Amino acid sequence: MTLSLYDTARRAQIRFEPLVPGEVSIYCCGLTVQSAPHVGHIRKEIVFDVLRRWLTTSGYRVTLVTNVTDIDDKILAKSVEAGVEWYVHAYANERELHRAYAALGIQPPTYEPRATGHIPEMIELIEQLIDRGHAYVADDGSGDVYFDVRSWAPYGELSGQKPDDMDPAQDADPRGKKDPRDFALWKGYKLGEPVTASWSTPWGRGRPGWHLECSAMAGKYLGDSFDIHGGGIDLQFPHHENELAQSQAAGRGFARFWLHNGWVTTSGEKMSKSLGNGMLVSEVTQRWPARAVRLYLLAPHYRSMIEYSDEALDETSTALERVDSFVSRAREACGDGDVMDVPTRFAEAMDDDLGTPGALAVLYETVREGNRSLDGGDLVVVGQCLAQVQAMLSVLGLRADDPIWGTATTSDLTDVVDGLVRALLDQRAAARTRKDFEAADTIRDQLSDMGLTIEDTPHGPRWTLS
């Protein structure tokens, strides 16, 4: 395997070599669970799920950590609006996130730490930064603690900015700051806030700053240095910039590669909660098959933007139906086929900065070849194409019989439906045998009205969804 990845920090495509041979460690910034996830959020989860699957297929043991930010200004504000405790609000939306994972075939992370479960690690990190002269307690009695941007010369290297060109940090009251660009490591408790949303520290009660949380949790589960840090491009600055600065200022190597995926946009704007243009995963998967939604989000290159549209999802659904139709016909003709590796060109595309567009081109080409061979009766080639298609679908998380899609339940239902349709087809065949073509046509029309297409083949009638 010669995997190259576009490292945002170095602004170049770099050959990927893991810190520990045979093992890959990945940290992804998870969601702030202020509300239910939309498809813009979940794109990142799908991108890194595909990366994880490809690394696993390539022989690596992958540890993927994705955090849950369950304490935040927005969570506190939203919980007040909802009339519930902040932790009740956060947990309800965390469960919505897990339902979105399941709906779109996303494997659960190896570890999924909550911010509120790692306060001791955060306090320890702040103390290290204070001791090293890179953080300070505000002198206004607020209990805020800030990272001193001017004390860390490399600050801005991830996003390619200079501190003098940056806008002031917006994460705390500026009165206690030495520099307006200094960002909050810890936010002192304020009257009116829930006491349950604060913890005791050497500098007073309060709660963690957003940036601090991820550095502490990444260090807890992956150590001082790890392979890949990922997230949406909107997190590059200030979130990832601040993570990198505070972690390295504390003496930690932190991430070796930085990967950022593009936005999902609507009408040219980033899909977001604040703009009110987000399509909830729970809503989108009611309108289109969940596997089609997943394919729609992974089909473009992960660094490109995706413009959300109903028409694009319709086209993706049709493309997936063609793939599924081939798999169904091929399995009927020659069984499941032998287990095979993915085609060389598919592997080359995936190794080239996770090139899913090129990989999908190989998938579709293999399906076309398989269909031609089915029409020509070459079952040897059909079996080979089927095995390759199934292998590629597995890497992309799109294989219909993958247990992550709830195969047992789906399979049971499919068997029942197939049995009922077969019974009607047997009745149709019997009517044709006795030359009662009117009855045979009536049965066919009934099946058509139910959305089924009947195809008479040399092996007998075959039904598919129209």
Side-chain angles (χ1 to χ4, degrees), residues 84-406:
V84 297
E85 296 288 352
W86 64 271
Y87 47 82
V88 173
H89 183 78
Y91 183 60
N93 287 305
E94 182 181 337
R95 294 189 63 178
E96 285 293 327
L97 173 62
H98 292 158
R99 279 190 278 269
Y101 281 168
L104 294 175
I106 299 166
Q107 302 170 108
T110 311
Y111 306 112
E112 191 178 32
R114 294 190 187 105
T116 54
H118 297 79
I119 301 299
E121 289 83 2
M122 297 176 200
I123 294 173
E124 179 183 3
L125 178 54
I126 293 174
E127 289 177 330
Q128 290 174 349
L129 289 168
I130 292 174
D131 290 345
R132 286 170 169 257
H134 297 299
Y136 59 91
V137 181
D139 60 8
D140 60 357
S142 63
D144 294 342
V145 183
Y146 294 103
F147 182 85
D148 187 348
V149 167
R150 293 291 184 185
S151 75
W152 186 245
Y155 188 76
E157 62 182 343
L158 180 62
S159 56
Q161 300 184 76
K162 296 180 179 179
D164 288 339
D165 299 328
M166 297 176 183
D167 292 331
Q170 301 295 320
D171 57 355
D173 191 321
R175 289 178 300 176
K177 295 183 180 183
K178 294 179 180 178
D179 187 290
R181 285 161 287 267
D182 293 349
F183 59 88
L185 299 171
W186 192 260
K187 298 183 177 184
Y189 173 76
K190 298 178 180 63
L191 290 176
E193 292 182 343
V195 176
T196 54
S198 66
W199 290 263
S200 295
T201 72
W203 41 89
R205 293 193 68 85
R207 54 190 167 86
W210 175 34
H211 316 300
L212 177 80
E213 296 172 351
C214 288
S215 287
M217 288 184 280
K220 171 76 171 183
Y221 293 94
L222 297 177
D224 287 352
S225 297
F226 54 93
D227 292 311
I228 297 172
H229 195 313
I233 189 64
D234 54 315
L235 297 182
Q236 182 180 2
F237 184 86
H239 185 49
H240 288 170
E241 189 75 72
N242 292 349
E243 279 188 73
L244 177 63
Q246 66 198 8
S247 297
Q248 292 194 336
R252 305 177 184 185
F254 209 54
R256 300 172 60 243
F257 287 80
W258 291 85
L259 270 66
H260 292 96
N261 61 273
W263 293 336
V264 177
T265 60
T266 53
S267 301
E269 293 186 281
K270 172 196 169 188
M271 186 173 287
S272 70
K273 300 166 186 169
S274 59
L275 292 175
N277 59 3
M279 294 296 294
L280 296 181
V281 173
S282 58
E283 295 173 350
V284 175
T285 52
Q286 289 180 5
R287 299 178 60 193
W288 290 275
R291 288 170 58 240
V293 177
R294 179 184 174 98
L295 174 57
Y296 168 72
L297 291 172
L298 67 81
H301 192 271
Y302 75 91
R303 287 192 284 115
S304 65
M305 303 300 178
I306 300 177
E307 175 65 17
Y308 179 89
S309 73
D310 291 356
E311 293 77 14
L313 273 163
D314 287 339
E315 292 172 4
T316 303
S317 298
T318 300
L320 187 59
E321 286 171 5
R322 287 196 290 266
V323 174
D324 288 346
S325 176
F326 164 70
V327 171
S328 177
R329 293 177 64 206
R331 292 180 72 177
E332 182 180 303
C334 57
D336 288 330
D338 297 328
V339 176
M340 294 185 67
D341 294 331
V342 298
T344 300
R345 289 191 301 114
F346 179 93
E348 289 172 348
M350 295 297 287
D351 280 344
D352 185 12
D353 195 27
L354 209 64
T356 52
L360 284 169
V362 177
L363 171 67
Y364 296 145
E365 182 181 313
T366 307
V367 167
R368 288 193 293 269
E369 181 183 355
N371 279 325
R372 287 193 297 267
S373 299
L374 271 168
D375 294 340
D378 189 343
L379 296 187
V380 173
V381 175
V382 172
Q384 293 172 347
C385 289
L386 173 61
Q388 289 182 334
V389 166
Q390 293 285 58
M392 289 185 278
L393 291 174
S394 292
V395 169
L396 299 172
L398 292 169
R399 184 162 170 163
D401 58 358
D402 187 326
I404 203 161
W405 296 106

